[in-house]
Amino acid sequence: MRDQNTAYLVSIIIPIFNREALIVETLQSIKNQTYLNWECILVDDGSTDQTIEVIKSFIEKDQRFVLLKRPELEEKGANVCRNIGMAKSSGDYLVFFDSDDLMVSTYLEKQLQNIVNNNADLSVCKMDFFEKNDRYFTRKKPCYHQELWENYVTRQLTILTGSVMWRKRFLDSHHLNFNIKLQAAQEWDFISRGLLHAPVHAFEDSLLYHSRIHGF
């Protein structure tokens, strides 16, 4: 790969709604990335707490963070916000992330290196889950198999939006975006439709992504 800190732009797209208590950890994990050439597009879905003020404090110090707002006439929802972020993104590669999850500091570097070295359309990394008491755990289902689409749609694999880096050109060529009519299983729908187009895929055998579990 070319100069690992300048070669390609990665766009990180995050829908946000009332996350003032958790968004700092997420944004700090992005700011701590060893790969430097990224933009983080945060699309607000109408927050009423101090989320916007928290984000603005990051933007003041680092203009790689960008804040957008869902137009009032647009339908409310995370999927609408993801589509807005994707349309506004300038990156060669895209990551759809959640506003309460965490990236390991080498997430962008290793995912990008894996996808470029394998000339792939997407890279899937290892992930785990954590609770509010910082107890980390993994699930029994693997996150990768050579027969990726078949095993994913039959629920044999655990893949979340945050564990995948996509080549933007692949998503654009197949006109892939998030279904704004769905109220559940939005990421399953998006990923399964993407995999249906038989992308060249690669697996990054590193634990790079922490997904927060609520309700404990």
Side-chain angles (χ1 to χ4, degrees), residues 190-204:
F190 178 79
I191 294 173
S192 61
R193 283 188 288 113
L195 297 181
L196 185 61
H197 292 287
V200 178
H201 49 83
F203 175 58
E204 171 52 49

Side-chain angles (χ1 to χ4, degrees), residues 88-214:
K88 296 293 186 180
S89 66
S90 301
D92 304 291
Y93 299 92
L94 300 183
V95 175
F96 299 101
F97 215 66
D98 286 342
S99 59
D100 57 346
D101 293 343
L102 303 175
M103 290 184 176
V104 173
S105 63
T106 53
Y107 177 101
L108 294 181
E109 177 183 347
K110 290 189 174 182
Q111 287 274 72
L112 181 58
Q113 186 172 24
N114 188 44
I115 203 171
V116 171
N117 286 351
N118 290 283
N119 194 25
D121 297 307
L122 63 90
S123 175
V124 180
C125 70
K126 283 185 177 179
M127 59 176 292
D128 65 9
F129 301 84
F130 71 105
E131 302 171 11
K132 62 183 179 181
N133 60 3
D134 293 334
R135 184 175 75 87
Y136 290 82
F137 61 96
T138 57
R139 291 182 175 172
K140 293 181 179 180
K141 293 181 182 179
C143 56
Y144 185 78
H145 189 278
Q146 286 295 331
E147 301 297 330
L148 200 58
W149 182 83
E150 179 180 346
N151 283 274
Y152 180 70
V153 298
T154 57
R155 305 284 190 176
Q156 301 304 304
L157 301 176
T158 297
I159 303 175
L160 300 183
T161 50
S163 61
V164 184
M165 178 180 286
W166 299 87
R167 187 193 298 269
K168 186 180 182 183
R169 189 172 64 218
F170 170 81
L171 297 178
D172 289 344
S173 67
H174 296 291
H175 308 288
L176 288 166
N177 55 22
F178 287 84
N179 187 336
I180 65 174
K181 299 301 181 183
L182 293 180
Q183 298 301 312
Q186 299 98 325
E187 65 182 355
W188 183 88
D189 170 75
F190 178 79
I191 294 173
S192 61
R193 283 188 288 113
L195 297 181
L196 185 61
H197 292 287
V200 178
H201 49 83
F203 175 58
E204 171 52 49
D205 191 21
S206 302
L207 176 60
L208 300 177
Y209 168 48
H210 303 306
S211 177
R212 190 184 300 266
I213 300 297
H214 295 274

